[in-house]
Amino acid sequence: MNDAREKDTVRIWDLPTRLFKWALAVLVVFQVTTGLLAGSWLTWHFRSGYAILTLLIFRILWGIVGSTTSRFSSFLKGPYAGLAHVRELLGSRGPRELGHNAVGGWVVIVIILALLVQAGSGLFTTDDIATDGPLVAVASERWVKAMTSLHVRWILVIYILIGLHVLAAVLYLIVKKQNLILAMITGRKRRDDVVAPDQPLPAIRFAGNVSALICLAVAAAVVYAILRFAS
Ligand code: HEM
């Protein structure tokens, strides 16, 4: 990397967090498409649903043991921090943040939980024709009915969350001139968007990719165990 870029930008996001984010985005679009197409597409809907579940469990583990900017403990802040962030947003320049801001951090949690509800209910969903989710056979008829109804209605919550998430990123870009989308691709932010020029950079501890692979393997084992339980 050339020196100017090294000096003007700061490495914020680790590779596992960025891969998680974009893989989840692609899979959720695929998941909505295959769910709406239904029929034989449900075979792929199930496969990508298991991949989404694995990614969500991975992200929860990574939120505990991952790099500083990916840890829940570093970005989940109280209501005062949230209000301070909103005040900053109303100011003329963009807020300076190391990773997720005080509002965005909670949005991450809400999106993960909402997707867990969507994917978890899918395991008990039936199309009432030929395709049953893998846990339909071990659940009561009443539960399956409730989960199927939840699965087809909860998607509205997901659409709203995705819409707000994309809107926030676009507004940051247009109004605050901060490109959060590019930062999630390159892993780097402009130094001026992180701290004031006269301030030192906060220390970030980056967790290794091997730790990420271990978290991914544990997450995949949990999903595998759920599916084995059903068969
Ligand atoms: C985040 C993950 C998921 C998303 C975003 C998602 C989304 C959707 C959508 C949009 C539909 C169509 C609903 C409609 O007809 O109005 C659907 C249907 C369905 N999904 Fe999912 N789904 C997810 C995970 C899963 C999983 C993990 C399973 C099972 C392993 C599953 C099983 C089903 C089934 C069986 C249907 C057909 C229901 C019907 O035709 O009434 N889904 N899903």
Side-chain angles (χ1 to χ4, degrees), residues 28 31-32 35-36 38 42 45-46 49-50 52 115 118-119 122-123 125-127 131 133-134 148 151-152 155 159:
V28 167
Q31 196 68 355
V32 168
L36 293 173
L42 286 178
H45 189 74
F46 282 22
Y50 303 146
I52 289 177
L115 285 173
Q118 184 70 30
L123 299 175
T125 293
T126 172
D127 70 351
T131 315
T148 302
H151 195 69
V152 296
I155 194 67
Y159 292 153

Side-chain angles (χ1 to χ4, degrees), residues 25 28 43 45 72 78 86 89 101 125 130 188 195 211 226:
V28 167
T43 310
H45 189 74
F72 302 134
V86 173
L89 274 182
N101 62 57
T125 293
R188 304 184 75 86
V195 283
S211 318
I226 293 172

Side-chain angles (χ1 to χ4, degrees), residues 9-169:
T9 63
V10 185
R11 186 177 168 218
I12 297 289
W13 304 115
D14 59 33
L15 182 66
T17 304
R18 286 180 280 146
L19 286 178
F20 158 82
K21 202 247 143 77
W22 294 114
L24 185 67
V26 169
L27 284 175
V28 167
V29 172
F30 182 76
Q31 196 68 355
V32 168
T33 312
T34 51
L36 293 173
L37 288 172
S40 60
W41 281 102
L42 286 178
T43 310
W44 281 101
H45 189 74
F46 282 22
R47 287 178 188 148
S48 115
Y50 303 146
I52 289 177
L53 264 178
T54 305
L55 283 179
L56 294 172
I57 297 169
F58 160 81
R59 185 62 186 91
I60 292 170
L61 297 172
W62 200 236
I64 300 165
V65 303
S67 311
T68 309
T69 46
S70 304
R71 286 196 185 204
F72 302 134
S73 60
S74 82
F75 64 72
L76 293 184
K77 298 178 186 137
Y80 291 114
L83 283 176
H85 174 70
V86 173
R87 259 200 307 271
E88 256 189 307
L89 274 182
L90 298 174
S92 57
R93 85 165 306 287
R96 290 191 164 104
E97 302 287 348
L98 183 63
H100 292 301
N101 62 57
V103 177
W106 285 105
V107 172
V108 171
I109 299 296
V110 170
I111 291 179
I112 290 175
L113 291 179
L115 285 173
L116 273 176
V117 170
Q118 184 70 30
S121 61
L123 299 175
F124 298 95
T125 293
T126 172
D127 70 351
D128 279 328
I129 308 169
T131 315
D132 287 345
L135 298 188
V136 165
V138 295
S140 70
E141 207 175 306
R142 220 170 130 208
W143 179 257
V144 168
K145 233 178 167 169
M147 287 300 111
T148 302
S149 163
L150 180 65
H151 195 69
V152 296
R153 285 164 215 265
W154 189 258
I155 194 67
L156 262 181
V157 175
I158 308 284
Y159 292 153
I160 292 169
L161 288 173
I162 293 175
L164 290 176
H165 187 61
V166 173
L167 182 69

Side-chain angles (χ1 to χ4, degrees), residues 196-207:
D198 53 343
Q199 294 293 310
L201 282 170
I204 304 179
R205 195 195 62 82
F206 283 98

